[in-house]
């Protein structure tokens, strides 16, 4: 909560990596604002810009290292993201030349379906193309399901298409 006169919302400029808040709602005394870092394209949008041809291995390697660091951090916190997919990984940089993204950095977003490892009880988690075998089979799951999804995302970045394109069911595990 921010008192109206204590902080100027106009001080948050886009060039500092923040969205500008044009209108805040709340009581005259207090204003509630959520300010997010301004990020760029998702990995899905990057693939689309590249006409689903796949991207260079050096970028995939950089993305993989950053995603694995994020997974290691989440594992320490005992948190399962449970929705890792290209649409939920955003580039930090807006600079791009064709398919070459300069100063490549990524952020994992959308923790709306995340849970602590002891809360393992949801039936419908993970997007179908990135769903781990233990989730498909209805077995107990934990943080490794995020590793499976990350592997699918990295394969998709390399191949330029969904690694598992058909609707996943018990029969698809034979792939």
């Amino acid at each position: 909560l921010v008192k109206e006169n204590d902080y100027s919302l106009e001080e948050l400029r886009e060039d500092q990596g923040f969205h500008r808040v044009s209108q805040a709602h709340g009581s005259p005394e207090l204003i509630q604002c959520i300010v997010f870092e301004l990020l760029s394209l998702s990995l899905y949008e990057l693939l689309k810009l590249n006409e689903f041809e796949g991207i260079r291995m050096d970028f995939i390697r950089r993305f993989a290292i950053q995603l694995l660091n994020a997974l290691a951090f989440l594992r320490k916190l005992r948190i399962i993201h449970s929705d890792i997919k290209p649409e939920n990984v955003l580039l930090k940089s807006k600079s791009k030349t064709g398919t070459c993204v300069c100063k490549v950095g990524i952020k994992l977003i959308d923790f709306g379906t995340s849970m602590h490892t002891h809360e393992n009880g949801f039936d419908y988690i993970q997007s179908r193309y990135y769903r781990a075998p233990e989730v498909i089979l209805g077995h107990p799951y934990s943080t490794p399901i995020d590793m499976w999804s990350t592997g699918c995302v990295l394969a998709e970045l390399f191949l330029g298409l969904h690694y598992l394109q058909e609707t996943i069911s018990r029969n698809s595990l034979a792939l």
Side-chain angles (χ1 to χ4, degrees):
L1 296 175
V2 179
K3 289 190 178 181
E4 196 167 5
N5 295 325
D6 286 351
Y7 194 77
S8 169
L9 297 177
E10 293 302 313
E11 291 177 25
L12 300 175
R13 298 191 330 247
E14 285 189 28
D15 63 337
Q16 294 172 318
F18 294 100
H19 287 286
R20 185 178 303 260
V21 179
S22 58
Q23 182 180 8
H25 300 281
S27 71
E29 296 170 12
L30 297 175
I31 299 173
Q32 292 181 338
C33 306
I34 300 176
V35 179
F36 296 97
E37 177 181 5
L38 182 62
L39 297 170
S40 188
L41 302 172
S42 71
L43 293 184
Y44 175 79
E45 292 167 318
L46 182 64
L47 275 171
K48 188 174 175 182
L49 277 176
N50 202 34
E51 298 177 358
F52 299 99
E53 291 292 320
I55 60 174
R56 293 183 2 205
M57 186 58 83
D58 56 328
F59 290 114
I60 295 172
R61 188 175 301 113
R62 291 178 196 171
F63 296 154
I65 290 167
Q66 293 174 67
L67 282 170
L68 293 174
N69 285 332
L71 291 184
F73 180 71
L74 291 175
R75 184 179 173 136
K76 278 184 187 177
L77 298 174
R78 294 187 173 116
I79 293 176
I80 304 168
H81 184 281
S82 78
D83 197 20
I84 295 176
K85 58 186 177 183
E87 293 88 338
N88 287 342
V89 181
L90 300 184
L91 299 176
K92 289 198 272 187
S93 171
K94 287 195 278 187
S95 306
K96 60 182 183 304
T97 357
T99 60
C100 172
V101 182
C102 306
K103 297 181 183 177
V104 179
I106 58 171
K107 291 262 179 139
L108 182 60
I109 65 161
D110 192 359
F111 285 78
T113 59
S114 66
M115 65 194 95
H116 287 97
T117 53
H118 66 275
E119 295 175 327
N120 188 337
F122 299 108
D123 292 332
Y124 183 80
I125 59 167
Q126 297 185 299
S127 297
R128 66 180 180 189
Y129 297 133
Y130 312 97
R131 197 167 292 149
E134 55 265 46
V135 173
I136 295 169
L137 295 171
H139 292 279
Y141 54 85
S142 190
T143 53
I145 67 169
D146 288 337
M147 181 62 80
W148 174 273
S149 299
T150 299
C152 292
V153 167
L154 296 173
E156 184 173 342
L157 292 176
F158 180 73
L159 298 170
L161 48 92
H162 290 300
Y163 181 63
L164 301 172
Q165 285 213 345
E166 66 182 71
T167 303
I168 295 179
S169 66
R170 290 178 191 265
N171 295 334
S172 323
L173 290 176
L175 289 175

